[in-house]
Amino acid sequence: MVEDSQIAQSKAIQRRTGRTFHVATRFLPERVRYPTYVLYAFFRVADEIVDDAEGVPPEEQAAELESLRAQALGEQEPEGPVLAAFREIADEHGISDEEIDTFLDAMKSDIETSRYERYEDLETYMRGSASAVGVMMTEVMDPKRPEEAIPHAVALGEAFQMTNFIRDVREDVIDRDRIYLPEETLLDNGVQPEQIARLEFSPGVADAVRHELHRTEQLYQKGVAGIEYLPEDCQFPVVLSAVLYADHHRLIRACEYDVVNNEPSLSTARKLWLAARTRWHWQWNKDPVAVFHRASAVSLPEPPHSGRGAVDGVPTPD
């Protein structure tokens, strides 16, 4: 049984480091919300071993991740409340060792890898760093048909991470000397990777960012289409998560794709407004694709009438 103190510490970590996701998490039912705090805290503990490791030799970072792996897999006594709670959540919800390994392998690759030649290389990384997270979240939600839900969860996890990568180009260069924009996309648009490392903006950089935004919005389309396979009490929070993350695309377009000189960030007021707007649409029509289409900054094809609620004729709360 996960203790209240473990949940409280996990929640504090999410509130501090994942403010966008925290807004949507608060709408999850209690049976999913508390495990989500624990999962997110575990993800952050692993991520910070690499991201906050200035001056720590690579071999020490790798050893620390391997110790974390042993604790997460139940091979070693957990150190601290987050790892103890994660182990209980993993046992209770049947989170597979394979997904835990896949996630930690991606974290370990961050020690040595700071550039990605092709999108396929980045996609392989994201299968661990983002999609494994989506799979674990889906397992906690416990859908009736997980085999149908999980491929969409994989796509939505990639979409969220790609939004973060595009939004955080400047921060990743300054704080971590990392560039997640694929080199092939940069070169195809006449941009040398060194130009991003020097934080130099050009029309080619704008074109490269525009290209990756388009790719990411296709991932949102696939990911959101699978929300209907989740339990009904989890669908709105996941739609809201997608709306909140995708709203960064509006900010990126507003700064004319210059993410090397700007760090787009949603204000608290904007997040609350989007939550209210999404909830308003949800009360009229509980089709996740239709609601995302109407509430988000991403333009998706108008979904066909599914019989789940009215799509046309609903006024817009602007």
Side-chain angles (χ1 to χ4, degrees), residues 180-199:
Y180 289 105
L181 296 177
E183 290 184 357
E184 66 176 0
T185 301
L186 296 174
L187 295 172
D188 285 348
N189 289 280
V191 179
Q192 294 297 319
E194 293 77 14
Q195 183 178 334
I196 302 297
R198 294 192 300 266
L199 299 176

Side-chain angles (χ1 to χ4, degrees), residues 106-181:
M107 296 300 97
K108 199 170 180 180
S109 75
D110 267 336
I111 297 173
E112 300 292 346
T113 305
S114 61
R115 306 288 190 272
Y116 293 86
E117 182 178 350
R118 301 172 303 149
Y119 179 77
E120 288 76 14
D121 301 325
L122 186 60
E123 193 172 34
T124 298
Y125 168 74
M126 290 192 295
R127 179 58 185 87
S129 65
S131 298
V133 173
V135 171
M136 292 186 214
M137 281 292 304
T138 302
E139 290 171 338
V140 166
M141 292 179 187
D142 193 24
K144 292 181 179 178
R145 296 180 288 174
E147 70 283 355
E148 295 187 71
I150 284 177
H152 297 280
V154 167
L156 196 56
E158 288 185 15
F160 289 171
Q161 182 139 73
M162 283 300 300
T163 292
N164 284 346
F165 286 160
I166 298 167
R167 177 197 67 190
D168 295 339
V169 166
R170 179 179 177 84
E171 177 185 325
D172 286 333
V173 169
I174 293 174
D175 293 348
R176 305 174 187 95
D177 188 32
R178 292 190 196 141
I179 299 173
Y180 289 105
L181 296 177

Side-chain angles (χ1 to χ4, degrees), residues 255-273:
C255 70
E256 298 182 333
Y257 307 98
D258 183 0
V259 288
V260 299
N261 292 304
N262 296 282
E263 299 181 13
S265 178
L266 300 183
S267 67
T268 299
R270 177 69 181 180
K271 292 172 190 174
L272 295 175
W273 184 85

